[in-house]
Structure formats: structure tokens, C-alpha cells
Amino acid sequence: MTDATRATAHLVVRENDEQVRMLMIVEPRRARMHVAFRPGQIDPIDRGSAGLAMLAALPPEPGERAEVGAARRRGFAVSYGEIAPSVIGVSAVVPGARTQTSVGLSLFEAPDEDEIGRAVLGAAERLSSMLR
């Protein structure tokens, strides 16, 4: 997925009710530049595409962000500059994972969110099938 999109891929798990932890980062080999994160990094669950995707997989909550509802409708979450300035995140939940998990991409430009979203959803499904 990283080489096809020339974007950094990330695997994130839910740490607790308020936080997510970045477990793995895969950098694209053929991109001129890429987004870098530290494995183990903890972020708020309500900021960034990984946490938003996890929240969208749950039943709707009163007062939730509009982005969570949009992610629920689309099947993937998109965020702009919420974890790092100028970085776009696109993430989807990995169905069937024992711990709530998302896979996604971090990139500087997203000319077609739906195309990137489809790539992320495909990766989430492939990971899910490996867990069965």
C-alpha cells in the first residue's frame, strides 16, 4: 500500500478510552519525501484519522464530531493537520481485530480522498482476513 500510494502507512491500536498508540510505521520506498512518526507515539482518540475511524466503528454518541459521522458513512476517516501540521490522515478500522485497530496512510496531498480511502479499506480487509 505504501509504494502504490507513495504515502506512509500506519497501524494504530486503541490504548484506552481516550488514547490511541501508533504501533507500526511503514515508509514508502519510492517517494521523494514521506511523513515520519515514532512507533509508540500516543495521540488523543478524537484527533487524527486513526482514532476517528475507531470512534466511527462504535454506535453514535451525542455531541460527537461531525468527522466521526462522516467516517461512519464512508467507512474510513480523514483528518487534516490534527496530529502533525500539513499532514492528511486517512484510516479505516481492521474488522475483527481483538483490540480495536486501524490501518491508514499519512500524506501531504490527497487529490482523491475516495481513492485513498478505498486503498485503506482494502488493506484493512486484508489484515482482517489474516487475523481469522
mmCIF file with all atom_site columns, all heavy atoms in Angstrom, residues 38-57:
data_model
loop_
_atom_site.group_PDB
_atom_site.id
_atom_site.type_symbol
_atom_site.label_atom_id
_atom_site.label_alt_id
_atom_site.label_comp_id
_atom_site.label_asym_id
_atom_site.label_entity_id
_atom_site.label_seq_id
_atom_site.pdbx_PDB_ins_code
_atom_site.Cartn_x
_atom_site.Cartn_y
_atom_site.Cartn_z
_atom_site.occupancy
_atom_site.B_iso_or_equiv
_atom_site.pdbx_formal_charge
_atom_site.auth_seq_id
_atom_site.auth_comp_id
_atom_site.auth_asym_id
_atom_site.auth_atom_id
_atom_site.pdbx_PDB_model_num
ATOM 1   N N   . ARG A 1 38 ? 6.994   8.282  15.272 1.00 0.00 ? 38 ARG A N   1
ATOM 2   C CA  . ARG A 1 38 ? 7.699   7.342  16.134 1.00 0.00 ? 38 ARG A CA  1
ATOM 3   C C   . ARG A 1 38 ? 6.767   6.211  16.556 1.00 0.00 ? 38 ARG A C   1
ATOM 4   O O   . ARG A 1 38 ? 5.673   6.478  17.061 1.00 0.00 ? 38 ARG A O   1
ATOM 5   C CB  . ARG A 1 38 ? 8.213   8.038  17.389 1.00 0.00 ? 38 ARG A CB  1
ATOM 6   C CG  . ARG A 1 38 ? 9.510   8.776  17.151 1.00 0.00 ? 38 ARG A CG  1
ATOM 7   C CD  . ARG A 1 38 ? 9.961   9.448  18.397 1.00 0.00 ? 38 ARG A CD  1
ATOM 8   N NE  . ARG A 1 38 ? 9.114   10.650 18.494 1.00 0.00 ? 38 ARG A NE  1
ATOM 9   C CZ  . ARG A 1 38 ? 8.829   11.275 19.590 1.00 0.00 ? 38 ARG A CZ  1
ATOM 10  N NH1 . ARG A 1 38 ? 9.277   10.866 20.725 1.00 0.00 ? 38 ARG A NH1 1
ATOM 11  N NH2 . ARG A 1 38 ? 8.070   12.342 19.594 1.00 0.00 ? 38 ARG A NH2 1
ATOM 12  N N   . PRO A 1 39 ? 7.174   4.961  16.379 1.00 0.00 ? 39 PRO A N   1
ATOM 13  C CA  . PRO A 1 39 ? 6.371   3.868  16.940 1.00 0.00 ? 39 PRO A CA  1
ATOM 14  C C   . PRO A 1 39 ? 6.225   4.079  18.453 1.00 0.00 ? 39 PRO A C   1
ATOM 15  O O   . PRO A 1 39 ? 7.160   4.515  19.121 1.00 0.00 ? 39 PRO A O   1
ATOM 16  C CB  . PRO A 1 39 ? 7.203   2.620  16.640 1.00 0.00 ? 39 PRO A CB  1
ATOM 17  C CG  . PRO A 1 39 ? 8.077   3.016  15.491 1.00 0.00 ? 39 PRO A CG  1
ATOM 18  C CD  . PRO A 1 39 ? 8.357   4.481  15.682 1.00 0.00 ? 39 PRO A CD  1
ATOM 19  N N   . GLY A 1 40 ? 5.053   3.802  18.968 1.00 0.00 ? 40 GLY A N   1
ATOM 20  C CA  . GLY A 1 40 ? 4.785   4.011  20.388 1.00 0.00 ? 40 GLY A CA  1
ATOM 21  C C   . GLY A 1 40 ? 4.149   5.351  20.695 1.00 0.00 ? 40 GLY A C   1
ATOM 22  O O   . GLY A 1 40 ? 3.683   5.578  21.804 1.00 0.00 ? 40 GLY A O   1
ATOM 23  N N   . GLN A 1 41 ? 4.137   6.228  19.712 1.00 0.00 ? 41 GLN A N   1
ATOM 24  C CA  . GLN A 1 41 ? 3.544   7.554  19.902 1.00 0.00 ? 41 GLN A CA  1
ATOM 25  C C   . GLN A 1 41 ? 2.084   7.418  20.330 1.00 0.00 ? 41 GLN A C   1
ATOM 26  O O   . GLN A 1 41 ? 1.341   6.625  19.770 1.00 0.00 ? 41 GLN A O   1
ATOM 27  C CB  . GLN A 1 41 ? 3.640   8.325  18.589 1.00 0.00 ? 41 GLN A CB  1
ATOM 28  C CG  . GLN A 1 41 ? 2.979   9.679  18.590 1.00 0.00 ? 41 GLN A CG  1
ATOM 29  C CD  . GLN A 1 41 ? 3.200   10.403 17.270 1.00 0.00 ? 41 GLN A CD  1
ATOM 30  O OE1 . GLN A 1 41 ? 4.302   10.380 16.724 1.00 0.00 ? 41 GLN A OE1 1
ATOM 31  N NE2 . GLN A 1 41 ? 2.167   11.043 16.762 1.00 0.00 ? 41 GLN A NE2 1
ATOM 32  N N   . ILE A 1 42 ? 1.680   8.196  21.324 1.00 0.00 ? 42 ILE A N   1
ATOM 33  C CA  . ILE A 1 42 ? 0.302   8.187  21.816 1.00 0.00 ? 42 ILE A CA  1
ATOM 34  C C   . ILE A 1 42 ? -0.369  9.492  21.417 1.00 0.00 ? 42 ILE A C   1
ATOM 35  O O   . ILE A 1 42 ? 0.218   10.565 21.573 1.00 0.00 ? 42 ILE A O   1
ATOM 36  C CB  . ILE A 1 42 ? 0.259   8.000  23.343 1.00 0.00 ? 42 ILE A CB  1
ATOM 37  C CG1 . ILE A 1 42 ? 0.774   6.605  23.692 1.00 0.00 ? 42 ILE A CG1 1
ATOM 38  C CG2 . ILE A 1 42 ? -1.150  8.205  23.880 1.00 0.00 ? 42 ILE A CG2 1
ATOM 39  C CD1 . ILE A 1 42 ? 0.843   6.326  25.169 1.00 0.00 ? 42 ILE A CD1 1
ATOM 40  N N   . ASP A 1 43 ? -1.591  9.384  20.901 1.00 0.00 ? 43 ASP A N   1
ATOM 41  C CA  . ASP A 1 43 ? -2.363  10.552 20.491 1.00 0.00 ? 43 ASP A CA  1
ATOM 42  C C   . ASP A 1 43 ? -3.776  10.454 21.055 1.00 0.00 ? 43 ASP A C   1
ATOM 43  O O   . ASP A 1 43 ? -4.254  9.356  21.360 1.00 0.00 ? 43 ASP A O   1
ATOM 44  C CB  . ASP A 1 43 ? -2.430  10.622 18.961 1.00 0.00 ? 43 ASP A CB  1
ATOM 45  C CG  . ASP A 1 43 ? -1.074  10.867 18.345 1.00 0.00 ? 43 ASP A CG  1
ATOM 46  O OD1 . ASP A 1 43 ? -0.432  11.872 18.694 1.00 0.00 ? 43 ASP A OD1 1
ATOM 47  O OD2 . ASP A 1 43 ? -0.638  10.050 17.508 1.00 0.00 ? 43 ASP A OD2 1
ATOM 48  N N   . PRO A 1 44 ? -4.467  11.592 21.170 1.00 0.00 ? 44 PRO A N   1
ATOM 49  C CA  . PRO A 1 44 ? -5.871  11.553 21.617 1.00 0.00 ? 44 PRO A CA  1
ATOM 50  C C   . PRO A 1 44 ? -6.735  10.802 20.606 1.00 0.00 ? 44 PRO A C   1
ATOM 51  O O   . PRO A 1 44 ? -6.528  10.934 19.396 1.00 0.00 ? 44 PRO A O   1
ATOM 52  C CB  . PRO A 1 44 ? -6.278  13.029 21.677 1.00 0.00 ? 44 PRO A CB  1
ATOM 53  C CG  . PRO A 1 44 ? -5.015  13.815 21.602 1.00 0.00 ? 44 PRO A CG  1
ATOM 54  C CD  . PRO A 1 44 ? -4.001  12.953 20.923 1.00 0.00 ? 44 PRO A CD  1
ATOM 55  N N   . ILE A 1 45 ? -7.683  10.030 21.077 1.00 0.00 ? 45 ILE A N   1
ATOM 56  C CA  . ILE A 1 45 ? -8.527  9.236  20.184 1.00 0.00 ? 45 ILE A CA  1
ATOM 57  C C   . ILE A 1 45 ? -9.419  10.109 19.310 1.00 0.00 ? 45 ILE A C   1
ATOM 58  O O   . ILE A 1 45 ? -9.810  9.715  18.220 1.00 0.00 ? 45 ILE A O   1
ATOM 59  C CB  . ILE A 1 45 ? -9.364  8.199  20.971 1.00 0.00 ? 45 ILE A CB  1
ATOM 60  C CG1 . ILE A 1 45 ? -9.914  7.143  20.005 1.00 0.00 ? 45 ILE A CG1 1
ATOM 61  C CG2 . ILE A 1 45 ? -10.456 8.886  21.798 1.00 0.00 ? 45 ILE A CG2 1
ATOM 62  C CD1 . ILE A 1 45 ? -10.451 5.916  20.673 1.00 0.00 ? 45 ILE A CD1 1
ATOM 63  N N   . ASP A 1 46 ? -9.711  11.322 19.762 1.00 0.00 ? 46 ASP A N   1
ATOM 64  C CA  . ASP A 1 46 ? -10.616 12.183 18.999 1.00 0.00 ? 46 ASP A CA  1
ATOM 65  C C   . ASP A 1 46 ? -9.884  13.146 18.066 1.00 0.00 ? 46 ASP A C   1
ATOM 66  O O   . ASP A 1 46 ? -10.462 14.088 17.544 1.00 0.00 ? 46 ASP A O   1
ATOM 67  C CB  . ASP A 1 46 ? -11.540 12.955 19.939 1.00 0.00 ? 46 ASP A CB  1
ATOM 68  C CG  . ASP A 1 46 ? -10.801 13.924 20.833 1.00 0.00 ? 46 ASP A CG  1
ATOM 69  O OD1 . ASP A 1 46 ? -9.551  13.841 20.942 1.00 0.00 ? 46 ASP A OD1 1
ATOM 70  O OD2 . ASP A 1 46 ? -11.470 14.775 21.449 1.00 0.00 ? 46 ASP A OD2 1
ATOM 71  N N   . ARG A 1 47 ? -8.600  12.884 17.817 1.00 0.00 ? 47 ARG A N   1
ATOM 72  C CA  . ARG A 1 47 ? -7.804  13.695 16.893 1.00 0.00 ? 47 ARG A CA  1
ATOM 73  C C   . ARG A 1 47 ? -7.033  12.766 15.973 1.00 0.00 ? 47 ARG A C   1
ATOM 74  O O   . ARG A 1 47 ? -6.399  11.827 16.418 1.00 0.00 ? 47 ARG A O   1
ATOM 75  C CB  . ARG A 1 47 ? -6.806  14.587 17.642 1.00 0.00 ? 47 ARG A CB  1
ATOM 76  C CG  . ARG A 1 47 ? -7.457  15.648 18.485 1.00 0.00 ? 47 ARG A CG  1
ATOM 77  C CD  . ARG A 1 47 ? -7.982  16.769 17.610 1.00 0.00 ? 47 ARG A CD  1
ATOM 78  N NE  . ARG A 1 47 ? -8.731  17.740 18.378 1.00 0.00 ? 47 ARG A NE  1
ATOM 79  C CZ  . ARG A 1 47 ? -10.036 17.928 18.277 1.00 0.00 ? 47 ARG A CZ  1
ATOM 80  N NH1 . ARG A 1 47 ? -10.746 17.202 17.451 1.00 0.00 ? 47 ARG A NH1 1
ATOM 81  N NH2 . ARG A 1 47 ? -10.643 18.843 18.986 1.00 0.00 ? 47 ARG A NH2 1
ATOM 82  N N   . GLY A 1 48 ? -7.100  13.011 14.696 1.00 0.00 ? 48 GLY A N   1
ATOM 83  C CA  . GLY A 1 48 ? -6.389  12.193 13.727 1.00 0.00 ? 48 GLY A CA  1
ATOM 84  C C   . GLY A 1 48 ? -7.269  11.082 13.186 1.00 0.00 ? 48 GLY A C   1
ATOM 85  O O   . GLY A 1 48 ? -8.208  10.622 13.839 1.00 0.00 ? 48 GLY A O   1
ATOM 86  N N   . SER A 1 49 ? -6.975  10.670 11.979 1.00 0.00 ? 49 SER A N   1
ATOM 87  C CA  . SER A 1 49 ? -7.833  9.707  11.288 1.00 0.00 ? 49 SER A CA  1
ATOM 88  C C   . SER A 1 49 ? -7.904  8.352  11.975 1.00 0.00 ? 49 SER A C   1
ATOM 89  O O   . SER A 1 49 ? -8.949  7.696  11.947 1.00 0.00 ? 49 SER A O   1
ATOM 90  C CB  . SER A 1 49 ? -7.377  9.541  9.838  1.00 0.00 ? 49 SER A CB  1
ATOM 91  O OG  . SER A 1 49 ? -6.079  8.972  9.762  1.00 0.00 ? 49 SER A OG  1
ATOM 92  N N   . ALA A 1 50 ? -6.825  7.898  12.603 1.00 0.00 ? 50 ALA A N   1
ATOM 93  C CA  . ALA A 1 50 ? -6.832  6.570  13.236 1.00 0.00 ? 50 ALA A CA  1
ATOM 94  C C   . ALA A 1 50 ? -7.871  6.498  14.353 1.00 0.00 ? 50 ALA A C   1
ATOM 95  O O   . ALA A 1 50 ? -8.701  5.588  14.389 1.00 0.00 ? 50 ALA A O   1
ATOM 96  C CB  . ALA A 1 50 ? -5.443  6.243  13.783 1.00 0.00 ? 50 ALA A CB  1
ATOM 97  N N   . GLY A 1 51 ? -7.842  7.460  15.255 1.00 0.00 ? 51 GLY A N   1
ATOM 98  C CA  . GLY A 1 51 ? -8.809  7.479  16.342 1.00 0.00 ? 51 GLY A CA  1
ATOM 99  C C   . GLY A 1 51 ? -10.219 7.760  15.863 1.00 0.00 ? 51 GLY A C   1
ATOM 100 O O   . GLY A 1 51 ? -11.183 7.163  16.358 1.00 0.00 ? 51 GLY A O   1
ATOM 101 N N   . LEU A 1 52 ? -10.355 8.652  14.889 1.00 0.00 ? 52 LEU A N   1
ATOM 102 C CA  . LEU A 1 52 ? -11.690 8.949  14.351 1.00 0.00 ? 52 LEU A CA  1
ATOM 103 C C   . LEU A 1 52 ? -12.311 7.713  13.713 1.00 0.00 ? 52 LEU A C   1
ATOM 104 O O   . LEU A 1 52 ? -13.513 7.467  13.859 1.00 0.00 ? 52 LEU A O   1
ATOM 105 C CB  . LEU A 1 52 ? -11.618 10.097 13.340 1.00 0.00 ? 52 LEU A CB  1
ATOM 106 C CG  . LEU A 1 52 ? -11.201 11.458 13.898 1.00 0.00 ? 52 LEU A CG  1
ATOM 107 C CD1 . LEU A 1 52 ? -11.061 12.477 12.767 1.00 0.00 ? 52 LEU A CD1 1
ATOM 108 C CD2 . LEU A 1 52 ? -12.163 11.947 14.951 1.00 0.00 ? 52 LEU A CD2 1
ATOM 109 N N   . ALA A 1 53 ? -11.494 6.910  13.018 1.00 0.00 ? 53 ALA A N   1
ATOM 110 C CA  . ALA A 1 53 ? -12.006 5.672  12.423 1.00 0.00 ? 53 ALA A CA  1
ATOM 111 C C   . ALA A 1 53 ? -12.493 4.718  13.512 1.00 0.00 ? 53 ALA A C   1
ATOM 112 O O   . ALA A 1 53 ? -13.530 4.070  13.369 1.00 0.00 ? 53 ALA A O   1
ATOM 113 C CB  . ALA A 1 53 ? -10.926 5.006  11.573 1.00 0.00 ? 53 ALA A CB  1
ATOM 114 N N   . MET A 1 54 ? -11.757 4.636  14.614 1.00 0.00 ? 54 MET A N   1
ATOM 115 C CA  . MET A 1 54 ? -12.166 3.769  15.722 1.00 0.00 ? 54 MET A CA  1
ATOM 116 C C   . MET A 1 54 ? -13.471 4.250  16.342 1.00 0.00 ? 54 MET A C   1
ATOM 117 O O   . MET A 1 54 ? -14.363 3.448  16.632 1.00 0.00 ? 54 MET A O   1
ATOM 118 C CB  . MET A 1 54 ? -11.063 3.703  16.775 1.00 0.00 ? 54 MET A CB  1
ATOM 119 C CG  . MET A 1 54 ? -9.844  2.963  16.320 1.00 0.00 ? 54 MET A CG  1
ATOM 120 S SD  . MET A 1 54 ? -8.592  2.960  17.612 1.00 0.00 ? 54 MET A SD  1
ATOM 121 C CE  . MET A 1 54 ? -7.141  2.558  16.659 1.00 0.00 ? 54 MET A CE  1
ATOM 122 N N   . LEU A 1 55 ? -13.598 5.554  16.545 1.00 0.00 ? 55 LEU A N   1
ATOM 123 C CA  . LEU A 1 55 ? -14.839 6.100  17.102 1.00 0.00 ? 55 LEU A CA  1
ATOM 124 C C   . LEU A 1 55 ? -16.010 5.856  16.154 1.00 0.00 ? 55 LEU A C   1
ATOM 125 O O   . LEU A 1 55 ? -17.129 5.589  16.593 1.00 0.00 ? 55 LEU A O   1
ATOM 126 C CB  . LEU A 1 55 ? -14.675 7.592  17.394 1.00 0.00 ? 55 LEU A CB  1
ATOM 127 C CG  . LEU A 1 55 ? -13.691 7.940  18.514 1.00 0.00 ? 55 LEU A CG  1
ATOM 128 C CD1 . LEU A 1 55 ? -13.502 9.452  18.602 1.00 0.00 ? 55 LEU A CD1 1
ATOM 129 C CD2 . LEU A 1 55 ? -14.139 7.363  19.852 1.00 0.00 ? 55 LEU A CD2 1
ATOM 130 N N   . ALA A 1 56 ? -15.753 5.918  14.849 1.00 0.00 ? 56 ALA A N   1
ATOM 131 C CA  . ALA A 1 56 ? -16.811 5.717  13.858 1.00 0.00 ? 56 ALA A CA  1
ATOM 132 C C   . ALA A 1 56 ? -17.306 4.274  13.834 1.00 0.00 ? 56 ALA A C   1
ATOM 133 O O   . ALA A 1 56 ? -18.424 4.008  13.400 1.00 0.00 ? 56 ALA A O   1
ATOM 134 C CB  . ALA A 1 56 ? -16.315 6.121  12.471 1.00 0.00 ? 56 ALA A CB  1
ATOM 135 N N   . ALA A 1 57 ? -16.493 3.343  14.305 1.00 0.00 ? 57 ALA A N   1
ATOM 136 C CA  . ALA A 1 57 ? -16.890 1.935  14.342 1.00 0.00 ? 57 ALA A CA  1
ATOM 137 C C   . ALA A 1 57 ? -17.825 1.635  15.517 1.00 0.00 ? 57 ALA A C   1
ATOM 138 O O   . ALA A 1 57 ? -18.391 0.550  15.593 1.00 0.00 ? 57 ALA A O   1
ATOM 139 C CB  . ALA A 1 57 ? -15.649 1.039  14.424 1.00 0.00 ? 57 ALA A CB  1
#
